[in-house]
Amino acid sequence: MDRVELQRVLGAGPAIVASLIATVLKFGDRTQLGAVHLATSLVADVQLIAGAIIWTWAASQPARSLARHGDDRLDVGQAHCWPTWSRWC
């Protein structure tokens, strides 16, 4: 998620709405399996909403430049990303 402009904006809204509708429909089920489905759906709702909040915050931040440090590290928002470790950063 280091490049916000590559993420699909239009897919998040309908996914959150559909998930919330499915969660509301699961409140009527009073079985043990229904409770498991409801709990799973609530966790998915929290994760989708948290992801939307983080994406909105990241999209509103100005772009960061690749400023060089004296010890040859790149400042790209990742802690201790050495150029030789680029495949893991």
Side-chain angles (χ1 to χ4, degrees), residues 3-80:
R3 292 186 56 191
V4 178
E5 66 273 5
L6 297 179
Q7 307 300 320
R8 293 188 55 154
V9 180
L10 299 176
I16 292 171
V17 170
S19 181
L20 290 173
I21 290 171
T23 302
V24 169
L25 292 175
K26 290 175 184 157
F27 276 110
D29 193 1
R30 298 289 180 204
T31 63
Q32 183 175 2
L33 184 59
V36 172
H37 287 170
L38 178 61
T40 304
S41 185
L42 289 171
V43 169
D45 290 342
V46 168
Q47 289 178 345
L48 283 171
I49 292 169
I53 290 170
I54 291 171
W55 185 91
T56 303
W57 173 79
S60 67
Q61 299 298 314
R64 291 190 232 170
S65 65
L66 296 175
R68 280 278 183 189
H69 289 284
D71 57 357
D72 204 26
R73 282 186 293 147
L74 290 176
D75 182 17
V76 292
Q78 298 169 341
H80 307 296

